[in-house]
Amino acid sequence: MKAVRQAYIRPLDLRHGCVEMSHGSGGRGMAQLIEELFARWLGNAYLGQGNDAAVLPAATGRLVMSTDAHVVSPLFFPGGDIGCLAVHGTINDIAVMGATPLYLAASFILEEGFPLGDLARIVESMARAAEAAAVPVVTGDTKVVQRGKGDGVYITTTGVGVVAEGEDYAGDRARPGDRIIVSGSIGEHGMAIMAQRENIGFASAIVSDTAALHGLIAAMRASGATIRALRDPTRGGVATTLNEIARQSGVGMMLQESALPVLPEVAAACEFLGLDPLYVANEGKLLAIVAPEDTDTLLQAMRAHPLGRQAAVIGKVHADAQHFVQMTTGLGGRRIVDWLTVADLDPGVLAV
């Protein structure tokens, strides 16, 4: 009995150890995983309460909550990994509502046999991202599935924030005449995932743009510009996000192909793979619909922030009973920028 007990309390082997079914059993193995790995990196006063839920101080303002599941493959990619991605993605979903993100909850589904060293890298990355954003992970959960029943690690994050009265950036507020602004070049995240997953080499490395956008959005709000709507164009890219806003607001949109900021290496990779950068996922960019008279004011505020230096006006909102998103091409023609279809979908590029 003594030998068995000692085996359980032996420190986790983060170099050679793997996730075991006991790490999700609710017993000593799970307690050890939480204490030696999760609490080591994510620990804070709220998480340290050690209860089934975190007791948080009351917040002033309307509550905003969002949840997101992360199933990216590969788990590690140029510029980031599933850990920081889980933090950034949920913070951004809160921030584009005009809210200040306050807290995160994280749920991990681990596959039996997953290397503990890789799990430690992911949790450490998650902790660094949360600390940099000043949005702590205050509660969480861990489950383990049998070998072959998962894909290494799945992470679900839920975020809570507060938004002041009068702040409303919902997708149904776009009006004819408004301008469409993107905060920077598009398509880096999805193409970084594809290049890593398919082992495709390009002359210039493509790095994910994953980042927390609440600082940029705070600067935009402080500018005093009349912002109608904000969105982060993640799954489905810029095209899908603009179609969502057009439908919600009952308007049409006209984009200018020549105004779209796309890095040369991303454009080359998309051409090589037969993809349109408008549909490729982003994780550190936002779209803003702004009143025409405040366009310059908002652009100036965005370009003064590190995450908005490449901000550009890419189109205009207009009246359209069909709610079409269109684009004037570089040759002067027009084409419909439609919703994604089943044929367009690629789980690695478009749905990360």
Side-chain angles (χ1 to χ4, degrees):
M1 183 71 176
K2 184 176 181 181
V4 172
R5 183 179 179 85
Q6 288 176 341
Y8 274 109
I9 62 175
R10 187 176 300 145
L12 292 176
D13 183 356
L14 298 183
R15 292 188 61 186
H16 306 292
C18 295
V19 172
E20 302 172 1
M21 293 303 297
S22 64
H23 291 141
S25 66
R28 188 183 298 275
M30 184 169 133
Q32 184 182 22
L33 182 70
I34 291 172
E35 180 180 344
E36 295 185 20
L37 199 154
F38 290 104
R40 174 185 176 187
W41 294 111
L42 297 172
N44 55 68
Y46 301 114
L47 198 62
Q49 293 171 3
N51 299 314
D52 287 345
V55 179
L56 306 172
T60 301
R62 295 171 294 159
L63 289 178
V64 176
M65 184 172 72
S66 181
T67 193
D68 202 358
H70 304 271
V71 296
V72 63
S73 179
L75 299 172
F76 303 94
F77 46 84
D81 53 61
I82 192 173
C84 66
L85 186 67
V87 170
H88 295 156
T90 299
I91 285 177
N92 293 344
D93 286 344
I94 294 289
V96 294
M97 297 301 295
T100 299
L102 296 178
Y103 308 108
L104 294 170
S107 175
F108 290 77
I109 298 178
L110 310 175
E111 184 181 9
E112 180 187 16
F114 186 72
L116 287 175
D118 286 348
L119 180 59
R121 285 178 60 195
I122 290 168
V123 176
E124 181 182 0
S125 174
M126 195 171 189
R128 287 199 305 265
E131 181 179 11
V135 184
V137 177
V138 299
T139 190
D141 187 45
T142 305
K143 294 291 188 297
V144 178
V145 298
Q146 293 177 335
R147 192 185 303 267
K149 302 294 185 180
D151 194 18
V153 178
Y154 300 144
I155 303 176
T156 296
T157 42
T158 298
V160 175
V162 291
V163 60
E165 293 296 334
E167 300 277 357
D168 185 4
Y169 304 139
D172 62 355
R173 300 183 68 247
R175 301 290 180 265
D178 289 346
R179 302 304 192 262
I180 305 164
I181 297 177
V182 66
S183 63
S185 54
I186 63 175
E188 285 106 297
H189 178 72
M191 295 315 302
I193 294 289
M194 172 61 89
Q196 180 78 5
R197 191 183 67 198
E198 301 298 335
N199 196 27
I200 302 172
F202 298 102
S204 298
I206 301 174
V207 178
S208 170
D209 62 344
T210 181
L213 295 168
H214 58 313
L216 171 61
I217 293 172
M220 294 166 64
R221 290 162 54 194
S223 73
T226 301
I227 303 171
R228 308 283 197 205
L230 290 174
R231 286 286 178 87
D232 55 331
T234 53
R235 181 170 41 191
V238 168
T240 297
T241 302
L242 291 180
N243 271 283
E244 291 172 351
I245 296 174
R247 184 180 66 175
Q248 284 182 269
S249 296
V251 297
M253 297 180 179
M254 181 63 70
L255 307 180
Q256 299 295 323
E257 185 175 35
S258 60
L260 292 173
V262 184
L263 295 179
E265 54 267 34
V266 171
C270 285
E271 184 176 0
F272 177 75
L273 295 169
L275 298 171
D276 186 337
L278 281 170
Y279 293 92
V280 178
N282 310 271
E283 288 292 347
K285 301 298 188 304
L286 62 79
L287 289 165
I289 309 297
V290 60
E293 64 272 16
D294 289 335
T295 302
D296 290 340
T297 298
L298 188 61
L299 275 176
Q300 183 177 359
M302 294 176 72
R303 289 171 177 169
H305 191 278
L307 295 180
R309 288 173 180 161
Q310 294 179 303
V313 178
I314 62 170
K316 183 177 177 180
V317 179
H318 61 255
D320 181 357
Q322 303 300 317
H323 313 156
F324 286 147
V325 177
Q326 303 178 65
M327 184 166 70
T328 301
T329 69
L331 298 176
R334 288 187 179 181
R335 71 176 179 92
I336 298 292
V337 180
D338 207 352
W339 294 85
L340 284 172
T341 64
V342 174
D344 296 319
L345 290 174
D346 181 294
V349 177
L350 307 175
V352 291

